[in-house]
Amino acid sequence: IRENEDKVNPVEEKKNERYVLPISHDEVVHGKKSFIDKMPGDYWKKFAGARVFAAYQMLHPGKKLNFMGNEIAQFREWAYAGEIEWFLLDEYATHRKHKAFVKALNAFYLAEPALWQVDDSFDGFKWIDADDKARSVTSFRRIDKKGNEVVVVCNFAPVQRDNYRIGLPVYGEWAELFNSDL
């Protein structure tokens, strides 16, 4: 850039990337464990971690790709010669609840244009706080073409955060639309 030319700030440029947020089969085969089994903690913490991760993936910009078995949280890693362990839904309420959560998350995503309408532009995504590593919380805004917003707050720690405060773009009452805590 010449001295007298306008300098373009790359952060202010329109995003031109279209990308996929995958949970690939490569991560859940050959002794690497299933996605749910990779989660730390006891049974409850594993399912809570899988739900918050699924919500973060679904509500973050980009197209989504999940691998077979994640929707029911099967513990057996994927095997090409077998099928998904559908029997888990008949025998375990926790797996049925996880499947219902994934179904509700997919419906929420489709019902909220802010989550998918402006996926390839900085106009559709703004961080509120990406750096609260002490409490393992991130927050961001998703914005549709009309300026309607969904604020996303993800608590990645298995600790309840009472009275957690974030800065919101507009003063007023905000309603909780979706919660990954069953």
Side-chain angles (χ1 to χ4, degrees):
I1 298 176
R2 292 189 191 97
E3 188 174 327
N4 294 333
E5 288 185 35
D6 289 334
K7 294 181 181 178
V8 177
N9 182 342
V11 174
E12 294 174 6
E13 284 185 48
K14 180 177 169 85
K15 274 186 355 188
N16 61 3
E17 293 185 27
R18 293 195 171 112
Y19 52 95
V20 176
L21 302 172
I23 298 299
S24 166
H25 77 282
D26 289 338
E27 298 303 321
V28 293
V29 294
H30 308 302
K32 295 179 195 154
K33 299 182 183 182
S34 69
F35 186 75
I36 188 77
D37 206 19
K38 289 181 179 199
M39 292 287 137
D42 60 20
Y43 206 63
W44 182 89
K45 288 177 183 175
K46 286 179 180 294
F47 278 86
R51 288 192 310 270
V52 73
F53 180 86
Y56 178 78
Q57 179 192 34
M58 185 64 79
L59 305 177
H60 203 273
K63 303 309 175 200
K64 308 0 171 170
L65 176 64
N66 259 296
F67 202 69
M68 297 181 295
N70 286 350
E71 71 277 21
I72 65 167
Q74 76 177 33
F75 278 90
R76 183 179 55 87
E77 71 179 27
W78 183 76
Y80 73 91
E83 63 180 60
I84 294 175
E85 295 181 325
W86 296 111
F87 71 88
L88 294 171
L89 300 175
D90 295 328
E91 297 182 22
Y92 301 101
T94 311
H95 293 274
R96 284 192 302 275
K97 288 179 183 178
H98 189 78
K99 181 178 179 273
F101 167 78
V102 171
K103 181 179 179 179
L105 181 60
N106 285 329
F108 177 65
Y109 176 83
L110 290 174
E112 292 294 334
L115 300 176
W116 47 265
Q117 202 172 61
V118 188
D119 237 11
D120 62 348
S121 168
F122 286 113
D123 296 334
F125 178 86
K126 306 283 183 207
W127 283 109
I128 295 174
D129 188 351
D131 298 318
D132 190 355
K133 59 183 175 258
R135 291 178 279 198
S136 299
V137 176
T138 62
S139 53
F140 54 89
R141 299 161 48 200
R142 296 299 312 272
I143 307 153
D144 71 13
K145 290 179 181 178
K146 295 178 181 177
N148 299 312
E149 296 192 21
V150 172
V151 170
V152 178
V153 181
C154 294
N155 175 13
F156 290 98
V159 176
Q160 185 169 320
R161 304 279 183 211
D162 292 324
N163 301 314
Y164 188 82
R165 295 174 59 98
I166 61 170
L168 294 173
V170 178
Y171 178 80
E173 281 194 41
W174 288 68
E176 181 180 281
L177 300 176
F178 193 85
N179 190 327
S180 68
D181 210 8
L182 298 176

